[in-house]
Amino acid sequence: MQSTKTLEVSATLSHSFVPEIEMGLLAQSASISPKFLYDPLGSNLFAAITLLPEYYPTKTEKNILFEYIDQIVDAVGVGGTLIDLGAGNCLKAESLFAALKPCDYIAIDFSADFLHDAIRNLETQYPQIRMQCIGMDFSKQLIISDAVNNVQRTFFYPGSSIGNFIGSQALKLLRQIKNQALGGGLLIGVDLMKEDSILMAAYDDPLKLTSAFNLNILRSVNAHLGSDFQVNQFRHVVKINHPLKRVELYLEALEDLTVSWLGHSRTFKKGELIHTEYSHKYTIESIKELLENAGFASVQIWTDPNDYFAVIYAR
Ligand code: AVI
């Protein structure tokens, strides 16, 4: 291992998620934050979803990055600090290494264990890149430490994960990115609104991987809370909310049931829903407006021939 290269794993998220989960479950309309979708099994299920032919965002984004890589390199510049938000298996960022030639690669994700393995694998292949991985719940607050190289920072936020935030949260995160880019920029993937049949196939796929991904959140919650959710008492439900331009994921109780955990319980009537995820779909105009409101003065946009997805460099 070269001396210039460091592997740093921040303290794993040690604080308890119990109060946050309880608040969602005890609310009149129950909800669970989508970040709990990404336990080790959920992260692997999501990786499998991205391989589905019906899940168009991943491959469409990949095609755009491939098609316009020269223009993207011109916009972003080479040799800087690549900060990967929601890095997962780090494969998307890796696909940019050859073109962007980063000096530093900072992988950030909620699930630090999953990230750790991916980084270990990458650092043997790219000894010239200093790598760090950080476990952080940046949905709450994004804090890039001063120890991270401040030269030519590019935040990389692919996959339209920004769509999983409601507008105010998305704006807050984008403002934090803008402030901590220190004159650098943001390379972001954004899913665009499209016809219902394409969206339904992507979020209610025939192999039922998205159903498993969604239902697994109950096991993830059981692990945090010590609750006794039973996966087979719920089903995966997808709705398309046209006025709010988003796909909505829920779990529907298949019977009257009670879920219990230390000191609390929650009853669900047959048909009652637990909200688990929003996936907002933007228009070019709405994403430009959001980025402008976050303080980004200029945007360059690349799309696919169907206008399904956009890759944007904002600074
Ligand atoms: C991570 N995120 C952008 C995915 C999406 O499309 O909103 C999560 C997902 N949910 C169901 N399928 C994929």
Side-chain angles (χ1 to χ4, degrees), residues 11 14 18 22 31 34 50 80 89 98 119 178 180 225 260 269:
S14 53
V18 169
E22 275 182 350
S31 66
T50 66
N89 56 18
I119 282 280
K178 173 66 185 155
Q180 294 179 79
L225 205 57
S260 305
K269 288 262 167 247

Side-chain angles (χ1 to χ4, degrees), residues 34 37-38 45-46 49-50 52 55-58 92 157-164 189 191 202-205 209-211 213-214 236 247 249 277-281 309:
L37 290 164
Y38 299 92
L45 285 168
F46 179 63
I49 287 170
T50 66
L52 288 170
Y55 192 73
Y56 63 85
T58 311
K92 285 187 186 173
Y157 197 28
S160 200
S161 292
I162 193 71
N164 297 133
D191 200 9
Y203 289 88
D204 199 7
D205 61 283
L209 288 185
T210 312
S211 170
F213 174 65
N214 195 11
H236 167 66
V247 175
L249 264 55
E277 188 180 58
Y278 293 132
S279 192
H280 291 84
K281 308 303 171 192
F309 202 92

Side-chain angles (χ1 to χ4, degrees), residues 46-116:
F46 179 63
I49 287 170
T50 66
L51 301 176
L52 288 170
E54 293 84 4
Y55 192 73
Y56 63 85
T58 311
K59 55 180 164 296
T60 311
E61 181 179 58
K62 190 175 170 188
N63 290 343
I64 297 169
L65 288 169
F66 181 79
E67 176 83 19
Y68 296 105
I69 192 63
D70 292 344
Q71 293 179 28
I72 291 168
V73 171
D74 284 347
V76 172
V78 294
T81 305
L82 191 62
I83 306 175
D84 191 358
L85 296 176
N89 56 18
C90 305
L91 289 177
K92 285 187 186 173
E94 186 195 359
S95 73
L96 299 177
F97 284 176
L100 291 181
K101 301 180 179 55
C103 293
D104 292 84
Y105 172 59
I106 319 296
I108 301 179
D109 210 314
F110 179 68
S111 177
D113 293 344
F114 198 67
L115 199 57
H116 193 190

Side-chain angles (χ1 to χ4, degrees), residues 30 72 75 88 99 108 125 135 178 185-186 194 234 257 266 268 272 310:
I72 291 168
I108 301 179
Q125 293 176 60
K178 173 66 185 155
L186 165 68
K194 56 189 61 63
F234 290 85
L257 61 99
R266 163 82 199 230
F268 291 93
E272 203 173 336

